Amino acid sequence: MLTSIHPKLPMRNKAVTRDFYLNKLGFEEFGESDYDAYLMLQKDQVQIHFFEFKELNPSENYGQVYIRTNDIDQMYGLAERNAVVHPNGRLATKPWGQKEFSVLDPDHNLLTFGEDA
């Protein structure tokens, strides 16, 4: 039986990634250990892990995560206030019945947040 998933995404700079997720999207650090090339972040029940990839070319990064929420408007408001909503990812109800928006982090990992419409 599967119980949860914690995606691992690439990051070039741990301090930049930490700042973006903590100060722009309201995540918190998870755990008490600070690993040199690894970062664990959490918001509510969702964890995202990051591994260092200094040579990453952001324009060639296809990391993506779909995160379900039960308060899309609150999450969108936070992302919009912090100017991190992707220009092509504004909040909209999609034909597949999800209300969604998207964010690109500093390494071009795409985070799409969705809620049943």
Side-chain angles (χ1 to χ4, degrees):
M1 169 175 36
L2 302 178
T3 61
S4 63
I5 186 169
H6 306 299
K8 292 167 57 171
L9 299 173
M11 67 177 170
R12 291 172 295 163
N13 183 301
K14 185 175 177 178
V16 171
T17 299
R18 178 188 286 128
D19 179 67
F20 178 84
Y21 282 86
L22 270 59
N23 296 314
K24 303 289 186 184
L25 295 177
F27 278 72
E28 298 175 348
E29 287 198 61
F30 178 79
E32 297 179 16
S33 298
D34 186 14
Y35 303 103
D36 287 337
Y38 202 79
L39 178 63
M40 297 180 293
L41 301 174
Q42 180 171 332
K43 182 170 178 65
D44 303 320
Q45 300 303 310
V46 171
Q47 278 186 35
I48 304 176
H49 295 205
F50 298 87
F51 61 94
E52 186 176 79
F53 184 6
K54 289 184 182 275
E55 297 80 27
L56 175 70
N57 178 346
S59 66
E60 296 177 358
N61 182 13
Y62 300 101
Q64 298 182 35
V65 178
Y66 192 98
I67 302 170
R68 295 203 180 271
T69 179
N70 61 7
D71 193 353
I72 194 85
D73 294 320
Q74 184 274 338
M75 193 67 205
Y76 183 73
L78 176 64
E80 190 175 45
R81 277 191 306 280
N82 289 310
V84 295
V85 175
H86 188 279
N88 297 324
R90 302 255 178 242
L91 186 62
T93 300
K94 303 298 184 178
W96 46 90
Q98 293 292 302
K99 192 173 177 182
E100 299 177 350
F101 76 95
S102 297
V103 168
L104 275 177
D105 78 3
D107 297 301
H108 285 209
N109 292 300
L110 179 69
L111 299 132
T112 302
F113 296 88
E115 177 178 51
D116 290 338

